[in-house]
Amino acid sequence: MNVTRENFWEDIDKWSDPDGQETGYHFGNSEGFHDKILEECKAFNGWTHTFDGENFSEELRYNIVTLSGSTMDRWPYLLETQFSKDRNENTEKNGIAEDEEMDYWWTVPQEKDFPTVYKFMNHFPRFKNPVISKLGAGHQILPHDHGPAPQFLYNMAINEPEGTRTAIYPRGELTVKPGDIYRLDVHNLHAVKNGNETRYHILFQGGRY
């Protein structure tokens, strides 16, 4: 069947193929790290709102744009589509926000504020160029993809609030536990409906297949 933004959640039971293509591959778990990182996230107060793209730091722009192998010439498209509260036809077709009230924040972790993130990366050097996302309780990231080229990134669940639903085409809903690390093939539609408290995840740079 043809899976779109509009029928992604409504028809998820029809298109899900949990035993098929591993577009959401359970890569491992950050046991011994994620609890401490969660404490650091809760103590941090320097978040940048997702609609404040014009004022993203150079490092935040770079880490977000290159997460799954894009080059910086993609930034103007992302700024218009995902990181501005201005609504237009392109935003409605490809944006991640349901409306202008989206409670979604970003930061590039610095070692002084997130020492455990750096301990984790030193221990596992595969994981680099992190950005941390903060999604408010009850908010969602609409179904979207990162473009047609086969590409991936790594996603670490620092926590996973009760009632959260995370899904990616064509696998369907993922069973995510705090600390889990998934390799996500983000050229496929993927989305999040957050549960009953603030959700924190780290995205690490992947690349192209």
Side-chain angles (χ1 to χ4, degrees):
M1 65 177 295
N2 183 33
V3 179
T4 66
R5 283 163 61 92
E6 290 71 29
N7 69 7
F8 183 89
W9 288 111
E10 180 180 346
D11 292 336
I12 192 168
D13 291 338
K14 297 177 183 177
W15 59 257
S16 294
D17 185 13
D19 299 319
Q21 182 182 353
E22 285 193 327
T23 53
Y25 171 71
H26 184 233
F27 195 81
N29 191 282
S30 55
E31 191 77 29
F33 293 94
H34 66 86
D35 286 340
K36 294 177 182 177
I37 296 174
L38 179 59
E39 293 175 7
E40 293 164 5
C41 286
K42 291 181 176 180
F44 183 68
N45 60 10
W47 301 95
T48 301
H49 194 271
T50 197
F51 289 151
D52 198 23
E54 290 283 2
N55 295 311
F56 279 12
S57 69
E58 185 174 337
E59 188 176 23
L60 180 56
R61 292 185 187 191
Y62 180 83
N63 284 14
I64 285 178
V65 171
T66 61
L67 270 173
S68 52
S70 290
T71 57
M72 288 306 295
D73 57 7
R74 185 171 168 79
W75 172 248
Y77 168 81
L78 292 176
L79 177 60
E80 177 190 12
T81 306
Q82 298 186 0
F83 300 116
S84 169
K85 68 170 54 179
D86 294 336
R87 311 295 289 184
N88 55 49
E89 183 179 354
N90 196 30
T91 302
E92 297 300 330
K93 289 172 58 178
N94 301 300
I96 60 172
E98 187 173 22
D99 55 38
E100 294 87 346
E101 304 303 318
M102 189 179 193
D103 186 7
Y104 196 31
W105 307 79
W106 299 93
T107 193
V108 174
Q110 304 300 315
E111 189 167 9
K112 65 182 178 64
D113 301 306
F114 295 93
T116 311
V117 173
Y118 282 79
K119 289 178 183 177
F120 175 81
M121 292 192 296
N122 288 336
H123 199 70
F124 301 102
R126 157 192 309 272
F127 300 106
K128 60 185 181 180
N129 291 16
V131 291
I132 303 180
S133 67
K134 173 185 175 183
L135 181 64
H139 286 252
Q140 66 173 312
I141 302 170
L142 293 178
H144 67 288
D145 62 45
H146 293 204
Q151 57 194 287
F152 71 97
L153 55 77
Y154 297 102
N155 184 312
M156 177 200 291
I158 303 172
N159 68 338
E160 193 70 3
E162 182 179 349
T164 298
R165 300 178 69 190
T166 301
I168 186 167
Y169 177 83
R171 187 165 182 183
E173 285 201 55
L174 304 178
T175 302
V176 181
K177 303 183 299 297
D180 278 349
I181 302 170
Y182 274 85
R183 188 190 69 213
L184 301 178
D185 290 351
V186 290
H187 53 282
N188 295 299
L189 283 174
H190 52 288
V192 177
K193 289 187 174 184
N194 193 23
N196 64 353
E197 60 180 311
T198 301
R199 172 187 182 268
Y200 299 97
H201 277 224
I202 305 181
L203 307 180
F204 294 101
Q205 187 179 69
R208 300 293 169 99
Y209 288 114

